Amino acid sequence: MTLDYSIRPAARPSHRTLAESLTAVNARQERVEVRHGMPATPGWVTCASFLATPDAFARWRAGLARWLRTEYDESPDQTTAGYVMTWYMTIPAYVAALLFHHERRVPSLRPADLAFRTAYPRPHPGSIAVLSPGFACLPDDPAAGTPDALVVPDETALAGLLRGRYIEHARRFVDVYGPQVRFGRHTLFAAATDALDSSLWQAGRYAGDEGAGVLDAALVLGAREKPLTSGSTLRPGADGWTRRRESCCFHYLMERGQGECGTCPRVCPKS
């Protein structure tokens, strides 16, 4: 299917700083808190510190296992590993997708420049903070020419920069998490692919313009770029847009009578 980018209204930020942009986009969605700067309140951790802490993922999975047992009476090892691999990669994916969709800006996605705090009792990332004031933008951005702005020539270049920054964070995650779980690198990069594709789609959906989110996903993930495992898999479905997942979350292991999700790669063929 050919997507017509001319129908996507151009995002034009009216803000001078990234902090102002994050405040604006936070108000346009309700999924998680996104903000600039890490508060002094307990529970926050930078992605760099988290990735450098030997037992951080083990403790996260243990907390998730406790929650799953209260909800489903069991917590298979594959399921906690699957949830966490998706949840972690959603941190850089979602904040990047929101800023790209609404502001046509791309923040730093380095682990040292992102922080998060998990929610309670379901321990998903409930808050995400961008710590660096720097960002990439288009020539007509009101902050173009300021010290914090890296200007790129057009939307294609901006999308490519987002993808590249995201891949670098994903590589670091896979290097750290891979030895701790029974998943291969392909599965881990498949989860990273899912997180980015879904986040771009959801940024449009939550703003009331699902089609624009689909177009953003096609722009950022127009084709497979290794080590990601595919381009965008969004496609029209019976009830609107849907996508084929590249990775399995292993939720079906807790509801054995239900089987895999209809979009799971175990049951949904590639097209």
Side-chain angles (χ1 to χ4, degrees):
M1 180 182 59
T2 300
L3 294 173
D4 182 2
Y5 290 94
S6 67
I7 66 174
R8 200 290 192 205
R12 292 290 180 264
S14 58
H15 310 99
R16 293 284 291 178
T17 69
L18 186 64
E20 291 169 337
S21 284
L22 284 161
T23 298
V25 301
N26 183 60
R28 302 190 67 178
Q29 56 83 47
E30 297 180 352
R31 181 180 177 185
V32 300
E33 175 198 16
V34 294
R35 55 170 293 130
H36 189 266
M38 185 168 67
T41 51
W44 283 91
V45 61
T46 68
C47 289
S49 176
F50 194 86
L51 291 168
T53 302
D55 66 343
F57 281 111
R59 288 188 284 109
W60 194 1
R61 290 178 61 191
L64 171 59
R66 289 191 293 271
W67 179 77
L68 290 175
R69 285 193 292 271
T70 66
E71 298 292 319
Y72 300 97
D73 298 322
E74 56 182 320
S75 57
D77 184 71
Q78 282 179 292
T79 305
T80 63
Y83 270 44
V84 165
M85 72 177 177
T86 296
W87 280 352
Y88 180 86
M89 284 313 306
T90 297
I91 296 166
Y94 190 59
V95 73
L98 283 176
L99 283 165
F100 185 77
H101 179 78
H102 291 293
E103 300 280 284
R104 281 304 191 250
R105 290 178 171 181
V106 176
S108 171
L109 300 179
R110 296 188 312 125
D113 291 331
L114 295 177
F116 71 101
R117 181 177 61 180
T118 55
Y120 181 84
R122 182 178 186 263
H124 63 282
S127 302
I128 303 169
V130 179
L131 308 182
S132 169
F135 59 92
C137 64
L138 298 174
D140 62 350
D141 190 289
T146 64
D148 290 333
L150 170 67
V151 179
V152 300
D154 53 37
E155 289 190 340
T156 299
L158 193 66
L161 187 143
L162 187 161
R163 185 175 59 248
R165 289 183 175 183
Y166 179 77
I167 286 174
E168 289 308 306
H169 196 137
R171 290 185 194 276
R172 175 63 178 151
F173 165 72
V174 170
D175 287 345
V176 171
Y177 195 56
Q180 302 181 36
V181 293
R182 294 180 293 171
F183 299 150
R185 291 178 69 86
H186 183 275
T187 295
L188 294 166
F189 278 114
T193 305
D194 283 334
L196 184 56
D197 198 17
S198 294
S199 292
L200 290 160
W201 177 29
Q202 290 164 357
R205 289 181 65 189
Y206 297 153
D209 193 346
E210 183 177 26
V214 171
L215 288 169
D216 286 346
L219 184 59
V220 176
L221 294 170
R224 178 186 178 186
E225 180 162 329
K226 294 181 179 180
L228 301 181
T229 58
S230 77
S232 176
T233 64
L234 283 158
R235 56 194 180 189
D239 299 312
W241 289 92
T242 186
R243 67 177 302 274
R244 177 193 183 273
R245 289 179 56 93
E246 287 288 295
S247 64
C248 178
C249 65
F250 301 99
H251 182 86
Y252 75 95
L253 294 176
M254 297 183 298
E255 296 183 317
R256 299 180 187 275
Q258 300 298 318
E260 295 91 338
C261 305
T263 58
C264 180
R266 294 172 178 270
V267 299
C268 183
K270 290 188 175 182
S271 61

